C-alpha cells in the first residue's frame, strides 16, 4: 500500500486560496469573518517566509537581515510570529524610509518594513487576496496573480487598433501617499468582517515612517514598499474600475496597471467625456489628477503618441500586399527605458573596481538582464533601438577591456570583444 504523500506548505496555501476564491465568486455580497486564525497557521507562515526570502530586500528599522533569521533558525522565527499573532501581541514597527532617485531629479520614497512585518503582511495577503481577486475587473493588470504588464500592453494595442484614435493618459498625483485610509478601510470591510484582520490592516496603515530618528504618522496613504501595499492600492482603485464598467465602458476602454491607467476612445468627444468621468470618480476617492501629466492624446494623424509601462505607443502608416494604406499601433521602448538600460550597463562596467573582473563574470551578470529586457521590450518595431543598445553594450565592454589591458583607445578592442562575446555566449537584445 502506498503511503499518502505529504502536501507542501505551498500546496496547502493553494488549496485554501482556491476555497476562499471560489466562495467569494459564489457570493459577491458575502463578508468573510473567520480569517485571522488562518494567517498564523504554520504552513501559511512558512509559505510567506519562502516568498519574502525569495524577494530578498534590505533590513527594516530593527536592522535584522534575512541572513540573521537563517542563523538564529527559521523555525524559531516563525514560531515567534505564530505566538505573537495568536496571543494578540503583534505590533508592527514603523517602516524605514529610503529614497530612490528619479530621472527628473526628484526622489521616490520607499518604506522598508522589518522582515517580521513583511512575513506577517505576506501571510495576511495570502489569505485575503483571493477574496478581493474575485471582485477585481478585467481592466486591472498590476500586482495581480497571473496578470502582467505585457497583458496590459496587449490590451491597449488591440483597443487602439479597433479605431481607438484618442487616448486619455492619466497620472494620479502622489497616489500611494494620498489614499484616504478611512475610505480604504470601508472598502476592505465590504468583504471582510473579521475584526482582527481589519485591526491588523489598520495597524500597518498607522505604523508610521521612521526618518532621521523621528517617527511620522499620517492619516493618509499606504507605505510604498510594504508587501500588502499593492493589494490595498488595487482594492482602493477597484472602485474606479467598477464605476468605469458601469458608467464609462461605452465611452472608452480602460486599462489600469496599479496607479497608472489609460482610456482608449474612438472620438475626441468620447475622450473629453471620459476625462470628466475620471475626474468625478477621483474626487469621490479624494485623489488628484496631475495637472500636466494627465492629457488627451490624438493618435489618428500619427504625429502624437503616449508612453505607458515603459513602451511608447504610436499609430503609423502601413501597407497591405496590395498597396492599401492603413494605420497600425506600434509599440517600442521609451526614451526613459533606453536611458535606464544604458545606466545599468554603465554602472556595471565603468567603475575602476570592475576591472579585476573577468569577461566571463561580466557575461554571467549581463545575460539574465539582457534576456529579461528582451522578453519585455522586444517588438517588431523596436528593432533599431535594440540594435543601438546592443552596440552600446559592446562599446561599454570594449572600454572596460581597453582599460583592463591598459590600452589608450577602446575602439581597437571592439573586434576582440566581439570575438570574446561569441566565445562566452553574450546574449543580445535583438
Amino acid at each position: 500500500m502506498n503511503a499518502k504523500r505529504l502536501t507542501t506548505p505551498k500546496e496547502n496555501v493553494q488549496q485554501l486560496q482556491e476555497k476562499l476564491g471560489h466562495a467569494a465568486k459564489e457570493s459577491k455580497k458575502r463578508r468573510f469573518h473567520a480569517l485571522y486564525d488562518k494567517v498564523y497557521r504554520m504552513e501559511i507562515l512558512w509559505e510567506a517566509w519562502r516568498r519574502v526570502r525569495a524577494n530578498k530586500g534590505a533590513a527594516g528599522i530593527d536592522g535584522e537581515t534575512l541572513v540573521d533569521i537563517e542563523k538564529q533558525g527559521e523555525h524559531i522565527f516563525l514560531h515567534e510570529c505564530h505566538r505573537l499573532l495568536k496571543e494578540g501581541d503583534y505590533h508592527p514597527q514603523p517602516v524605514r524610509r529610503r529614497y530612490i532617485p528619479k530621472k527628473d531629479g526628484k526622489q521616490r520614497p520607499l518604506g522598508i518594513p522589518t522582515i517580521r512585518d513583511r512575513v506577517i503582511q505576506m501571510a495576511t495577503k495570502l489569505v485575503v487576496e483571493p477574496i478581493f481577486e474575485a471582485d477585481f475587473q478585467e481592466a486591472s493588470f498590476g500586482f495581480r496573480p497571473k496578470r502582467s504588464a505585457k497583458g496590459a500592453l496587449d490590451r491597449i494595442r488591440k483597443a487602439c487598433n479597433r479605431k481607438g484614435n484618442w487616448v486619455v493618459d492619466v497620472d494620479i498625483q502622489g497616489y500611494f501617499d494620498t489614499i484616504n485610509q478611512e475610505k480604504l478601510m470601508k472598502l476592505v470591510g465590504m468583504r471582510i468582517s473579521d475584526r482582527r484582520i481589519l485591526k491588523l490592516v489598520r495597524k500597518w496603515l498607522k505604523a508610521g515612517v521612521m526618518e532621521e530618528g523621528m517617527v511620522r504618522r499620517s492619516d493618509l496613504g499606504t507605505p510604498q514598499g510594504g508587501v500588502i501595499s499593492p493589494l490595498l492600492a488595487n482594492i482602493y482603485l477597484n472602485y474606479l474600475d467598477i464605476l468605469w464598467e458601469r458608467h464609462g465602458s461605452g465611452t472608452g476602454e480602460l486599462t489600469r496597471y496599479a496607479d497608472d491607467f489609460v482610456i482608449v476612445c474612438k472620438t475626441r468627444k468620447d475622450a473629453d467625456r471620459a476625462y470628466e468621468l475620471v475626474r468625478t470618480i477621483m474626487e469621490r476617492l479624494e485623489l488628484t489628477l496631475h495637472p500636466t501629466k494627465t492629457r488627451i492624446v490624438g493618435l489618428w494623424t500619427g504625429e502624437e503618441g503616449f508612453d505607458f509601462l515603459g513602451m511608447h505607443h504610436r499609430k503609423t502608416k502601413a501597407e497591405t500586399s496590395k498597396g492599401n494604406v492603413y494605420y497600425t499601433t506600434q509599440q517600442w521602448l521609451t526614451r526613459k527605458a533606453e536611458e535606464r538600460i544604458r545606466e545599468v550597463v554603465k554602472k556595471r562596467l565603468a567603475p575602476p573596481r570592475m576591472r579585476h573582473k573577468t569577461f566571463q563574470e561580466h557575461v554571467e551578470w549581463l545575460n539574465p538582464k539582457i534576456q529579461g529586457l528582451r522578453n519585455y521590450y522586444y517588438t517588431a518595431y523596436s528593432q533599431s533601438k535594440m540594435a543601438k543598445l546592443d552596440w552600446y553594450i559592446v562599446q561599454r565592454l570594449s572600454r572596460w577591456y581597453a582599460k583592463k589591458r591598459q590600452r589608450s583607445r577602446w575602439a581597437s578592442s571592439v573586434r576582440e570583444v566581439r570575438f570574446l562575446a561569441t566565445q562566452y555566449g553574450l546574449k543580445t537584445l535583438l
Side-chain angles (χ1 to χ4, degrees):
M1 217 172 100
N2 289 334
K4 196 182 172 190
R5 188 178 73 86
L6 290 171
T7 53
T8 64
K10 188 179 178 180
E11 288 167 332
N12 287 332
V13 168
Q14 279 170 345
Q15 284 168 13
L16 174 67
Q17 288 182 323
E18 278 164 22
K19 273 186 199 164
L20 290 168
H22 184 69
K25 276 192 186 109
E26 286 275 281
S27 168
K28 292 286 184 185
K29 292 219 164 84
R30 177 172 170 183
R31 291 171 79 221
F32 291 76
H33 65 278
L35 298 173
Y36 186 79
D37 60 328
K38 293 173 177 63
V39 172
Y40 61 76
R41 275 192 203 167
M42 282 313 293
E43 67 262 36
I44 302 274
L45 289 170
W46 269 110
E47 178 58 14
W49 161 249
R50 189 186 68 79
R51 293 191 188 198
V52 167
R53 190 180 50 195
N55 290 338
K56 298 182 174 142
I61 63 165
D62 61 356
E64 189 171 46
T65 65
L66 293 160
V67 174
D68 293 336
I69 289 164
E70 283 166 358
K71 274 183 189 165
Q72 76 169 52
E74 297 162 344
H75 281 86
I76 296 165
F77 171 76
L78 292 174
H79 278 286
E80 181 61 5
C81 291
H82 169 84
R83 186 193 65 76
L84 290 169
L85 285 165
K86 192 176 181 180
E87 293 174 12
D89 290 337
Y90 167 69
H91 302 287
Q93 290 183 270
V95 298
R96 178 165 73 84
R97 176 65 92 216
R98 195 167 142 214
Y99 290 94
I100 294 174
K102 285 163 77 177
K103 271 273 164 250
D104 56 10
K106 291 179 183 169
Q107 293 194 310
R108 184 193 300 281
L110 260 193
I112 303 169
T114 64
I115 291 166
R116 185 183 304 283
D117 291 337
R118 295 213 288 274
V119 168
I120 292 173
Q121 281 188 23
M122 183 65 84
T124 308
K125 181 176 176 271
L126 290 172
V127 172
V128 304
E129 187 173 56
I131 295 163
F132 292 101
E133 266 297 314
D135 299 337
F136 289 162
Q137 304 294 298
E138 270 302 303
S140 162
F141 287 85
F143 306 108
R144 291 183 59 193
K146 296 175 188 165
R147 303 207 121 210
S148 67
K150 290 287 268 187
L153 292 169
D154 199 42
R155 180 178 161 100
I156 290 165
R157 185 179 53 78
K158 286 173 181 169
C160 290
N161 283 341
R162 285 194 300 269
K163 296 183 180 172
N165 288 323
W166 293 89
V167 171
V168 186
D169 183 10
V170 183
D171 188 281
I172 303 170
Q173 207 162 0
Y175 174 60
F176 283 89
D177 295 330
T178 53
I179 291 173
N180 181 307
Q181 291 177 2
E182 287 311 310
K183 286 189 174 174
L184 172 61
M185 288 309 300
K186 275 183 187 161
L187 290 167
V188 174
M190 285 171 82
R191 270 308 207 168
I192 292 173
S193 58
D194 187 326
R195 284 187 180 180
R196 290 183 298 174
I197 291 278
L198 296 173
K199 196 177 170 187
L200 207 50
V201 174
R202 200 179 280 279
K203 274 181 180 178
W204 287 320
L205 292 174
K206 301 289 179 197
V209 174
M210 180 167 276
E211 202 170 3
E212 293 169 0
M214 299 279 287
V215 176
R216 246 182 343 99
R217 290 186 170 86
S218 172
D219 294 332
L220 290 173
T222 69
Q224 266 179 283
V227 174
I228 200 95
S229 291
L231 175 62
L232 296 177
N234 270 335
I235 291 167
Y236 201 66
L237 280 181
N238 189 47
Y239 181 80
L240 158 78
D241 301 345
I242 288 167
L243 285 186
W244 185 263
E245 200 52 43
R246 212 173 284 163
H247 306 291
S249 55
T251 311
E253 187 167 286
L254 168 77
T255 302
R256 182 174 69 78
Y257 191 93
D259 60 323
D260 285 330
F261 62 96
V262 294
I263 299 156
V264 180
C265 308
K266 287 185 178 171
T267 65
R268 171 78 206 212
K269 197 177 172 186
D270 282 344
D272 288 333
R273 202 179 291 139
Y275 179 84
E276 284 310 312
L277 182 52
V278 165
R279 219 161 52 100
T280 306
I281 297 169
M282 289 295 129
E283 277 171 16
R284 281 202 203 172
L285 287 168
E286 294 183 37
L287 296 169
T288 311
L289 295 179
H290 197 290
T292 54
K293 289 183 185 173
T294 301
R295 62 198 187 107
I296 293 173
V297 182
L299 297 178
W300 61 284
T301 59
E303 289 164 27
E304 256 192 309
F306 65 96
D307 292 348
F308 187 72
L309 297 177
M311 293 296 248
H312 183 73
H313 305 67
R314 190 179 287 253
K315 284 205 171 180
T316 50
K317 273 183 188 171
E319 264 186 49
T320 65
S321 54
K322 290 178 181 173
N324 296 328
V325 173
Y326 67 100
Y327 277 93
T328 184
T329 309
Q330 298 189 356
Q331 296 170 325
W332 59 80
L333 71 168
T334 62
R335 190 176 293 164
K336 237 185 191 175
E338 268 187 86
E339 284 169 8
R340 201 163 48 241
I341 293 165
R342 286 170 191 266
E343 207 174 281
V344 166
V345 174
K346 187 179 176 180
K347 214 172 172 182
R348 168 72 185 188
L349 297 171
R353 70 175 189 279
M354 285 296 170
R355 279 174 215 161
H356 74 277
K357 298 266 184 198
T358 64
F359 199 94
Q360 189 179 349
E361 282 175 313
H362 284 313
V363 168
E364 282 168 4
W365 187 89
L366 285 165
N367 272 351
K369 302 264 186 303
I370 291 168
Q371 188 62 54
L373 293 166
R374 192 182 193 283
N375 291 349
Y376 187 75
Y377 289 111
Y378 182 84
T379 69
Y381 309 107
S382 63
Q383 288 180 353
S384 64
K385 288 181 184 292
M386 295 302 224
K388 276 182 193 167
L389 287 168
D390 274 335
W391 164 238
Y392 180 78
I393 293 167
V394 168
Q395 194 184 316
R396 272 282 150 210
L397 276 167
S398 301
R399 285 175 188 271
W400 164 82
Y401 192 74
K403 293 245 172 77
K404 191 179 174 77
R405 293 275 179 273
Q406 296 181 336
R407 294 172 186 167
S408 56
R409 294 177 62 225
W410 64 268
S412 59
S413 301
V414 171
R415 213 161 146 193
E416 221 174 316
V417 162
R418 284 197 189 279
F419 173 76
L420 288 167
T422 308
Q423 199 180 9
Y424 287 109
L426 178 70
K427 293 189 175 186
T428 60
L429 290 160
L430 200 54

